[in-house]
Amino acid sequence: MHGRLREALSVTRASLADGNPGEAATRELLLYCHGFCTALDGHHRGEDSTLFPAIAAAHPELRPVLRVLEQDHSMIAHLLGSLRAAVDRAAPTDELDNHLEGIAAIMESHFRYEERQLLTVLETLELAAVPQEVLGPI
């Protein structure tokens, strides 16, 4: 899932870098950004509501790690909201790129921490849930 979200961010950033000025480029960027924001936000909501409680129940020693990850989710949600607002008001390209740069940095740091801390647990965790509820809409 993280790989797919990384790719979605890459496509969004490439669209911004390659976009022609004007209404068509703005529409394309709006589509990519909203798709990326929805996918990332949905992924984090699924983790917070389904995956992390299951991990906490099976591995209570990981609760401090889960709290850090949930705090990251909150910060990323705030950054995504700022990006959405900038896209909705057709902010200049350099401003949009700054938003994407910040999200990329936090997202990558978050993903790497999560992967280091939880990968072994995730490989063995049995979870009776629909994958989209846990991983989000992507």
Side-chain angles (χ1 to χ4, degrees), residues 109-122:
S109 172
H110 170 78
F111 284 174
R112 287 183 182 193
Y113 178 73
E114 184 175 292
E115 290 161 359
R116 278 192 317 272
Q117 298 295 320
L118 300 182
L119 192 57
T120 303
V121 169
L122 292 174

Side-chain angles (χ1 to χ4, degrees), residues 2-16 32-33 36-37 40 80 83 99-108 111 138:
H2 288 177
R4 293 173 84 183
L5 287 166
R6 286 176 175 117
E7 180 61 26
L9 179 60
S10 176
V11 168
T12 301
R13 295 191 79 192
S15 174
L16 180 60
Y32 280 127
C33 286
F36 169 74
C37 292
L40 184 59
L80 290 174
L83 172 62
H99 283 287
L100 291 170
E101 179 91 19
I103 290 167
I106 299 298
M107 185 182 83
E108 189 59 35
F111 284 174
I138 197 167

